[in-house]
Amino acid sequence: QVQLKESGPGLVQPSQTLSLTCTVSGFSLMDYSVHWVRQPPGKGLEWMGRMKYDGDTYYNSALKSRLSISRDTSKSQVFLKMNSLQTEDTAIYYCTVLYYFDYWGQGVMVTVSS
Amino acid sequence: DTVLTQSPALAVSPGERVTISCRASESVSTLMHWYQQKPGQQPKLLIYKASNLASGVPARFSGSGSGTDFTFTIDPVEADDIATYYCHQSWNSRTFGGGTKLELK
């Protein structure tokens, strides 16, 4: 069955770089796009960007200068890197397939704090 | 980027009909989707392409609209429907609305 699982550090220092990995199973990264969505505590959802099935990437314009999404199809992994983190980047980070059906990872809570 | 505007909260009683609106800052054709999120859970797709019910979703849920104005309806509301509902467009990049929190009267 389709599964997505995020992994990465729970705590990042301000101004540092966040690196997250989304490991998928049950489908090929060359068949479906994988998106990153985040949610600050008590707030709404923010679409961050996506790795398209053909390898193309697209980013939220507000995050584009700090964000990079890449993949390793042989390992079924999608990577998120975001630099210059600030406290307002504290959030649950999800990787997800958003199509006419959806699959979501459990999410990983990332806290930006010194 | 396309901005989606939703009313922040609505109070309902079980058995009632409730409608949530979502207005886009520019046309998104019919590429509007609706998600339900309960506390501590991931969002769940309910409606895709404005009016199509996602697999396994009860027919109490429905959606309509095109262009810039969309509505999402639950009829009748059940207690288990208390959650936050988000609209999400995929016509111009992707954006989510701010969410509408459904509360019990």
Side-chain angles (χ1 to χ4, degrees), chain A residues 35 39 47 61 98 102 105-106, chain B residues 1 37 42-43 45 93-94:
Chain A
H35 302 254
Q39 185 169 37
W47 181 82
S61 59
L98 300 176
D102 62 336
Q106 291 280 60
Chain B
D1 289 355
Q37 187 180 33
Q42 304 93 315
L45 177 68
S93 182
R94 284 179 181 261

Side-chain angles (χ1 to χ4, degrees), chain B residues 14-16 37 39 41 43 47 65 74 87 91 95:
Chain B
E16 288 183 346
Q37 187 180 33
Q41 296 185 16
I47 300 288
I74 311 173
C87 55
W91 174 257
T95 46

Side-chain angles (χ1 to χ4, degrees), chain B:
Chain B
D1 289 355
T2 304
V3 176
L4 302 180
T5 302
Q6 300 179 241
S7 50
L10 284 172
V12 297
S13 298
E16 288 183 346
R17 171 190 170 103
V18 65
T19 297
I20 296 171
S21 63
C22 177
R23 175 160 287 178
S25 60
E26 57 190 323
S27 175
V28 298
S29 184
T30 57
L31 291 186
M32 184 68 78
H33 323 285
W34 291 91
Y35 290 80
Q36 176 194 65
Q37 187 180 33
K38 297 180 179 179
Q41 296 185 16
Q42 304 93 315
K44 173 188 171 185
L45 177 68
L46 299 181
I47 300 288
Y48 66 92
K49 286 180 68 179
S51 60
N52 296 276
L53 209 58
S55 178
V57 174
R60 305 183 289 105
F61 298 95
S62 63
S64 65
S66 65
T68 61
D69 291 298
F70 297 85
T71 57
F72 170 80
T73 300
I74 311 173
D75 185 16
V77 171
E78 296 185 358
D80 188 52
D81 299 334
I82 297 306
T84 300
Y85 293 84
Y86 295 93
C87 55
H88 170 62
Q89 67 82 21
S90 61
W91 174 257
N92 177 18
S93 182
R94 284 179 181 261
T95 46
F96 285 94
T100 298
K101 187 174 183 179
L102 216 53
E103 299 167 324
L104 279 176
K105 278 183 187 172

